[in-house]
Each structure stands twice: as C-alpha cells, then as structure tokens.
Amino acid sequence: MNVLVLNSGSSSLKFQVIATDLERIKQYQDDRICRGEVEDIGGEAIIRIQYRAEPSRTLTASLRDLPATLEYLVRYIASDQSGIHEIKSSTDIHAVGHRVVHGGEQFKESARIDDQVLKGIEDCIDLAPLHNPNNIKCITAAREIFGKDVPQVAVFDTAFHHTIPEQAYLYAVPYHLYRRHRVRRYGFHGTSHRYVAFRYRALRGLTRQQTNIITFHLGNGCSACAIKAGSSIDTSMGMTPLEGLVMGTRSGDLDPAIVGVIGRKEGMSASEVETLLNTQSGLLGVSGLTNDMRELQAELKEHDDRRVRLAIEIFCYRAKKYIGAFLAAMNGADAIVFTGGIGENSPDVRARICQGMEWAGLRLDAAKNQELIGREGLISTADSKLLAYAIPTDEELLIARDTVRVIEGVPHPS
Ligand code: AMP
C-alpha cells in the first residue's frame, strides 16, 4: 500500500510516500519511495523532493494555499518528469496519513477520518488555533483530489499522552476551568516519543511493559516524556507547546506572573506576550542571534560570545532538571533517549545535559557520544545503571504504519 504522509504547517508542507503493509511492518521492510518539503506556501513556493537515494531536486512554483500545493505535488509526483516510476497516477496513492497536532481528550489513538472524526478535529481548533485548521485544510484537499474512497487516517501528536494520570495532567487552578474549557496538560510530539520508545525496546530486545525511559525530543520544538511500562505518564509540554523545556523560540517554563509583568511594563496585551514567549524567546531570545542550535554552537566556538554561551547553558540546564523530575515521577528509569535535530546530532548538548549525573548511575561514554551523529545506539557505558541512547526519530514512518493498521483494523501496539 502506497501511503502519502502529510505534515502541514501554516506555510509549509512536509510529505513522504511510504510503501508498507502489515507484512512489511512485521519484517521492518517499509519502503520509503520519496520525501520532501514545500516552503513559503502563499507566494513563490520552494519545493524540495528526493526520490529514494537520488540527489534532492528543488523546484519553484507559485502556490497560493495548502490545497493548491497538494494538488501540485500529487500531479508532479505522478508525472514522468519526477522519475518516480512507482507512482504513475494519483490512483497509485492508496491511503493518506495526516499528522494532526491536537486531538484533545477525544482522540486516544489514530483514527480513520470520516465526517465525525473531521468534526472532532474541528472541535479541537480552540486548543490549537495555529495548527488544526491547516490539518483540516489538508484533509479536505486530499478528499477532493483522491476521492472519498481513498482512506485517510489522522495520527495525533497528543494521543500518546492520553495515559497521563490526572495528578500530572491537571493544573492547580480552579477545577471549573478544566470542566468548562478543558484547561489541562495534553502534551505533544507524541508520535516521536512513541517511535523512539519502540526503537529503544527493539534495540534492547525488551517488551513494551519493560520500557521505562525518559525521552527527550530536542528539535526546534523540545519536549521530554516520562514513559513507564511503555506508556506516557508525564510530559513537559502542556496545554500548548509553550510549556516545559527551552526551545528554539519558545521560553518553556516560567513564572506565570511574568505574563502580567511584561504586559504592564511593555504595554502589551496578554496575547501579544504569548506571541513573544512563543516566537521571540528561547535560544533566540537569550542569544539575541538565532534559534538554530548548530549556528549557536559554531558561534560559541568561534567567538565565545557570552549570551550565546548562556543560551546553550540555560537550554541544557533546564533539560537536565527534567531528568531529575521525571526520575522522581517514575520512581527511577532504565534509560534516557535523545532524539530530534539537536538530540540526534549534537554530542555537545547531550554531554552537557548528562554532565554530573553519575550520582544517578548515568555515565556517558565520551567516544561513543561523539561518534553517534544521526545514527541510533548506546552513548553511555554499557554498565551504566541509567543508560543513554541517541535514536533518530521517524514520525512519518509511524504515521504510515498507523495508517495501515487503522485501515486493516489492527490495533496499534503502543
Ligand atoms: P528539528 O526541529 O528536529 O529539525 O531540529 C532543528 C534543530 O536541530 C535546529 O536547532 C538545528 O540547528 C539543530 N541541529 C541540526 N543538526 C545539528 C548539529 N549537527 N549540531 C547541533 N544542532 C543541530
């Protein structure tokens, strides 16, 4: 089954076509046909597309919105010009899997999209006003292009966290705010945390029940997840992705009274402060330079800039605090796992986060840590009581697999 996986942002669309089915899932033989990304939708869009291991191609086209982008993409992939000979027409796409950011309390697992599910995703717009509308646009556009008979499946960023208990998901605010407005922790990056947990137990030959780990998704967005007996029992992101770790442009945890202080002192409304905390803070805000960790590390090496150093130090210190918090929440763990652009590729950040954790039984292997960049494996010493792994995430693969499982009526295993 050729599954088109779509991950839509406000002005971007990431996509992959993955050939998979129940047999291939069992044998780990999923076949990635092509992948790519469209940026600057709404103007002169840039389309990057890679067919198997061939060099990536870059195209440009004037694409006014997400539906026009999807139509363009499908037409291009199916054309002779693309050279993708597995896809000769849109009928060679057999199913579509969507990353949907917010599933609220309703969606506890991936769901085949019908009118009712679409209505459920619409009901969550309040909780993710910047994300869910784009997902809906993408779903309706795919329906137009492929017709109602091509199954579509929604895979929710929040679903993996539905096992978090009340004491961890409720905020200590008047309870009626939860009843009236569903004010609570939902958590995000669920597909990524779930995927690396699955890879961790595959690497160690463990069962889901034996999976007791703390996972760190460190990318432009960052979150940590406490996974006990295979289930998420706590996570650092909250009702929105703003809470928790320091991120590229988001502040992460702060004293909520600061919102009022900044508002009064700077003459800003609450929603303007919220935007500042989401888009002008984090690594960018502290360094005053960039939200990009790779650039910050290069800058630190070259100029030893004080604010750049501070940005990196704050980022790592705050991540380290979550190891302590989640070790306590879980009554101990067996391993920590790093993923995401920074977690997969930056030995320096991993070393800073793990520094001084020997008291908890965590001993990083400096050589292995340096070596493992963009590849999966152990980065602690083998006799470390608390192991550490780097595991590249693959949300698209999990979305394709869930799409197949949902269509075939097989419950997903984690
Ligand atoms: P993501 O959102 O998962 O794509 O991650 C993006 C982040 O990963 C950016 O801050 C990048 O600078 C960072 N990143 C990617 N490669 C490296 C690297 N080799 N060293 C440090 N950071 C990196």
Side-chain angles (χ1 to χ4, degrees):
M1 185 184 288
N2 294 332
V3 182
L4 174 63
V5 176
L6 297 173
N7 178 356
S8 50
S10 56
S11 66
S12 69
L13 177 67
K14 290 190 188 141
F15 62 92
Q16 292 198 8
V17 179
I18 299 176
T20 185
D21 52 42
L22 291 180
E23 199 46 41
R24 287 195 204 209
I25 292 173
K26 224 188 280 168
Q27 311 283 339
Y28 302 124
Q29 301 258 310
D30 323 73
D31 181 20
R32 205 169 317 245
I33 296 174
C34 68
R35 65 169 91 195
E37 187 171 4
V38 187
E39 279 171 350
D40 298 334
I41 297 169
E44 196 61 14
I46 300 164
I47 304 113
R48 280 188 209 89
I49 180 161
Q50 184 182 19
Y51 173 48
R52 297 196 178 279
E54 287 186 6
S56 167
R57 295 186 193 183
T58 304
L59 315 163
T60 53
S62 175
L63 299 171
R64 68 180 178 281
D65 52 18
L66 270 172
T69 303
L70 190 56
E71 205 181 320
Y72 173 91
L73 261 185
V74 174
R75 214 175 328 114
Y76 177 78
I77 290 172
S79 70
D80 289 344
Q81 194 193 349
S82 76
I84 301 173
H85 45 76
E86 291 85 349
I87 318 272
K88 292 280 181 225
S89 87
S90 64
T91 56
D92 291 328
I93 300 287
H94 307 121
V96 186
H98 296 266
R99 174 191 178 213
V100 177
V101 168
H102 219 306
E105 291 192 317
Q106 186 183 342
F107 295 105
K108 296 181 171 34
E109 55 185 46
S110 305
R112 184 162 176 162
I113 300 171
D114 55 18
D115 290 341
Q116 207 184 336
V117 168
L118 196 55
K119 164 85 175 48
I121 298 171
E122 278 166 7
D123 290 342
C124 296
I125 286 179
D126 255 6
L127 294 167
L130 299 178
H131 295 100
N132 276 29
N134 295 316
N135 301 146
I136 292 165
K137 274 186 211 153
C138 228
I139 292 166
T140 43
R143 251 193 203 177
E144 284 284 311
I145 294 168
F146 298 107
K148 276 203 164 183
D149 290 341
V150 171
Q152 298 199 56
V153 170
V155 179
F156 300 92
D157 248 30
T158 47
F160 181 59
H161 302 299
H162 85 271
T163 43
I164 293 178
E166 256 181 340
Q167 63 169 8
Y169 76 65
L170 282 178
Y171 293 111
V173 295
Y175 191 79
H176 69 258
L177 294 174
Y178 168 61
R179 269 209 306 255
R180 276 191 213 156
H181 309 296
R182 299 285 128 192
V183 171
R184 55 159 284 181
R185 174 185 315 286
Y186 292 94
F188 300 87
H189 289 147
T191 315
S192 178
H193 292 297
R194 200 180 126 209
Y195 178 78
V196 297
F198 152 75
R199 283 307 309 158
Y200 162 80
R201 62 174 164 272
L203 284 173
R204 293 202 63 199
L206 301 174
T207 63
R208 187 171 181 277
Q209 205 56 31
Q210 294 167 321
T211 305
N212 297 303
I213 57 176
I214 299 168
T215 49
F216 280 94
H217 179 105
L218 306 178
N220 202 23
C222 300
S223 68
C225 183
I227 300 177
K228 190 166 179 177
S231 299
S232 169
I233 62 144
D234 205 349
T235 191
S236 59
M237 281 180 167
M239 176 153 179
T240 77
L242 182 55
E243 193 181 347
L245 304 179
V246 174
M247 314 182 206
T249 61
R250 296 188 194 121
S251 63
D253 297 331
L254 49 72
D255 178 349
I258 289 175
V259 175
V261 172
I262 297 175
R264 283 190 300 276
K265 302 265 182 204
E266 296 278 321
M268 295 165 83
S269 68
S271 89
E272 283 169 338
V273 176
E274 202 181 309
T275 303
L276 176 131
L277 296 175
N278 268 302
T279 64
Q280 303 297 318
S281 304
L283 293 174
L284 172 66
V286 178
S287 71
L289 198 69
T290 173
N291 63 329
D292 191 299
M293 181 60 90
R294 195 170 10 188
E295 286 177 23
L296 288 175
Q297 290 187 318
E299 187 65 24
L300 183 67
K301 224 173 169 184
E302 245 175 72
H303 300 115
D304 195 25
D305 181 88
R306 192 183 84 87
R307 276 179 48 194
V308 167
R309 182 163 14 93
L310 258 183
I312 297 172
E313 282 172 358
I314 295 172
F315 180 95
C316 296
Y317 172 70
R318 295 266 297 268
K320 183 179 173 179
K321 281 218 290 194
Y322 269 91
I323 302 182
F326 284 174
L327 280 176
M330 298 170 71
N331 297 322
D334 299 325
I336 61 174
V337 176
F338 291 102
T339 193
I342 300 170
E344 293 163 23
N345 298 303
S346 178
D348 175 61
V349 168
R350 296 189 303 232
R352 283 173 190 263
I353 293 173
C354 297
Q355 195 178 19
M357 291 294 296
E358 290 78 11
W359 64 270
L362 172 55
R363 234 175 265 286
L364 222 54
D365 181 318
K368 278 193 204 156
N369 181 40
Q370 280 302 327
E371 211 175 280
L372 269 185
I373 296 180
R375 287 184 299 125
E376 66 180 20
L378 188 67
I379 55 170
S380 65
T381 60
D383 63 351
S384 205
K385 200 165 139 258
L386 179 61
L387 299 168
Y389 283 82
I391 301 182
T393 194
D394 197 341
E395 292 159 278
E396 287 78 10
L397 181 63
L398 202 47
I399 293 172
R401 289 178 164 194
D402 267 16
T403 301
V404 168
R405 291 186 191 115
V406 168
I407 292 168
E408 302 285 357
V410 179
H412 62 68
S414 57

